[in-house]
Amino acid sequence: MSERQITVPPVLENILLEYTINVLVENPEDIISHAAEYFTRLRDNRDQDTPAGSVGERTDISNLLGSRASRRQSVVGERYNPEEDEDEEEIEKFPKNDDERKRIRERTKDIFLFKVLDKEDINEIVDAMMPREVKEGQVIIRQGDDGDFFYVVDKGTFEACVKDGKGEERIVKIYDNSGSFGELALLHNQPRAATVTATTDGLLWAVSRKTFNRLVVKRAYDKRQKYLALLEKVPELKPLAEFEKMQVCDALTPVLLKKGETLFEEGDEGDGMYFVEEGKISITQKSAKNKREQEVAQYGPGHYFGEMALVKNQPRAATAKAMVDTKLAFLEVKAFERLLGPCIDIMKSRIEKYEKA
């Protein structure tokens, strides 16, 4: 398998891209039910478009997905590969005041790739964003065009519209002094999925394709590779398949602690578990006799902690504090329940041994 090159069929790639866009626009609470309804509707539309008596024949999927599928080859340039990027060219910075920087970070906090980046990475991206003033009625991006920039809305309102295969246009999202758009075309090397037009005068912050790839995609890729190496050191995660570990990597977010900083205290609600990437964590508990704190464990790189409150559905049983400057990877409770099911019994066994000790 390692010597054979596997190519993703264009039809599958376009279907998944369409579904990704749909999820980002509609933001469903139950993504599994939403996926079932979406693909059932897609299948029904396909069957309706298949002439009676033509059993075994199938309508070209590009007709169902709209004209984007047939335009895929118009994109300039090859798909970006972070493994091959060795560009060391300095990236231009654009000055901003504290209020502008705060607004940009707020607008980008829910972008999937940004969640795996640490504070220093985010600051670099914010530095590289260039201001772009726009006028009412101005088209920012046009459906079908090649993707050249990623945009963050600072001020103003914008409408995102999509034309279907019949040429009918509908509004799919309105940006009202917040939000961001344009990253999908850069990530997937696909034409623009929608047309975005300014409905008032406004201000955008723009990041070029090259800068976006270097500061967002490559950094996110590097972080995932680090997290994967970190998870490989955890014996309790051995039951997970490779793709399951990658899902865990994608769900992890960085946490930085200064020496002496408290992460959580005994009695706090358990909101997730932690993996130690760098540094050292001290775990202390209050004595039942004199209520004095005593150290019960230390955790360094390759260790994890905080799972006890999640497995047992109880408050934190101890206090966690950084002994030195420490870098952690955090897995929130919902992702823990969704992704680590195969490892729960092993973790329970570990907890039982710990409690006996």
Side-chain angles (χ1 to χ4, degrees):
M1 289 293 292
S2 60
E3 296 179 357
R4 190 182 72 180
Q5 185 175 0
I6 299 176
T7 302
V8 178
V11 168
L12 174 60
E13 190 171 346
N14 284 307
I15 289 174
L16 294 179
L17 175 61
E18 287 289 335
Y19 180 62
T20 300
I21 294 168
N22 188 275
V23 168
L24 293 175
V25 169
E26 298 187 8
N27 193 27
E29 291 186 5
D30 185 348
I31 195 167
I32 301 300
S33 298
H34 178 268
E37 293 172 2
Y38 177 89
F39 288 107
T40 298
R41 187 166 61 249
L42 185 65
R43 181 197 61 195
D44 292 344
N45 289 340
R46 179 203 64 188
D47 292 343
Q48 288 174 8
D49 289 343
T50 303
S54 58
V55 178
E57 296 180 9
R58 288 291 179 261
T59 303
D60 186 344
I61 197 70
S62 64
N63 293 332
L64 299 176
L65 298 179
S67 57
R68 276 200 303 288
S70 60
R71 285 196 299 264
R72 182 179 183 277
Q73 298 303 322
S74 69
V75 181
V76 177
E78 298 179 356
R79 185 181 300 279
Y80 175 72
N81 184 349
E83 289 184 283
E84 299 176 356
D85 188 348
E86 298 179 357
D87 193 345
E88 299 296 333
E89 181 183 345
E90 186 174 349
I91 293 174
E92 186 176 4
K93 297 180 179 180
F94 298 86
K96 302 166 187 69
N97 59 43
D98 291 342
D99 186 52
E100 289 171 334
R101 297 176 69 86
K102 181 180 179 181
R103 290 201 303 271
I104 293 172
R105 285 194 291 267
E106 180 66 24
R107 305 311 193 249
T108 56
K109 68 179 182 180
D110 292 326
I111 297 176
F112 172 72
L113 280 177
F114 280 55
K115 290 183 178 181
V116 301
L117 303 179
D118 57 32
K119 186 176 180 180
E120 288 77 9
D121 293 331
I122 297 296
N123 286 337
E124 275 197 85
I125 298 163
V126 173
D127 287 339
M129 290 183 176
M130 64 184 79
R132 180 177 175 184
E133 294 185 357
V134 297
K135 298 295 183 181
E136 180 181 353
Q138 184 175 343
V139 175
I140 313 304
I141 61 176
R142 194 179 301 276
Q143 184 176 351
D145 286 353
D146 295 330
D148 49 2
F149 285 91
F150 161 70
Y151 296 97
V152 175
V153 178
D154 191 326
K155 298 175 184 177
T157 58
F158 302 80
E159 284 183 352
C161 298
V162 172
K163 281 186 179 180
D164 60 23
K166 298 177 182 178
E168 296 178 357
E169 194 172 74
R170 62 187 178 93
I171 298 174
V172 294
K173 191 172 181 63
I174 295 176
Y175 300 91
D176 186 2
N177 293 288
S178 66
S180 58
F181 56 87
E183 72 273 17
L184 282 177
L186 306 188
L187 286 173
H188 298 282
N189 200 34
Q190 292 277 356
R192 294 296 192 186
T195 297
V196 176
T197 306
T199 53
T200 67
D201 291 352
L203 173 65
L204 297 170
W205 295 100
V207 180
S208 69
R209 173 195 287 271
K210 182 177 181 180
T211 299
F212 183 84
N213 282 337
R214 285 183 58 193
L215 292 185
V216 181
V217 180
K218 181 167 174 54
R219 297 287 174 84
Y221 171 82
D222 291 342
K223 286 287 190 305
R224 288 192 184 112
Q225 295 305 112
K226 283 186 179 180
Y227 285 158
L228 185 59
L230 180 65
L231 298 183
E232 293 289 350
K233 298 177 183 178
V234 181
E236 289 80 5
L237 300 187
K238 292 294 184 184
L240 295 180
E242 192 73 11
F243 79 93
E244 291 174 317
K245 289 179 182 176
M246 286 307 301
Q247 286 183 309
V248 176
C249 290
D250 289 342
L252 293 172
T253 54
V255 175
L256 302 178
L257 296 175
K258 294 293 185 182
K259 179 181 179 180
E261 189 175 352
T262 298
L263 179 63
F264 57 74
E265 294 186 348
E266 189 172 344
D268 286 352
E269 181 181 356
D271 57 349
M273 67 177 294
Y274 299 84
F275 297 87
V276 183
E277 188 175 348
E278 299 175 10
K280 187 174 289 187
I281 291 288
S282 172
I283 305 295
T284 60
Q285 282 184 320
K286 291 179 181 178
S287 169
K289 294 181 179 180
N290 53 26
K291 300 300 181 181
R292 291 182 180 176
E293 288 205 351
Q294 55 186 21
E295 187 175 71
V296 295
Q298 290 185 6
Y299 295 121
H303 291 98
Y304 68 90
F305 63 95
E307 83 290 354
M308 182 184 297
L310 310 185
V311 171
K312 302 184 72 172
N313 194 26
Q314 294 177 350
R316 297 293 189 191
T319 296
K321 185 178 295 185
M323 301 177 68
V324 296
D325 289 354
T326 300
K327 183 180 291 187
L328 305 171
F330 175 66
L331 184 68
E332 60 95 20
V333 60
K334 290 183 179 179
F336 172 86
E337 295 169 348
R338 185 177 75 252
L339 300 174
L340 296 188
C343 307
I344 296 297
D345 288 341
I346 298 176
M347 290 183 174
K348 283 182 179 178
S349 175
R350 177 178 182 260
I351 290 171
E352 290 171 0
K353 291 179 181 179
Y354 167 77
E355 289 178 334
K356 288 179 181 178

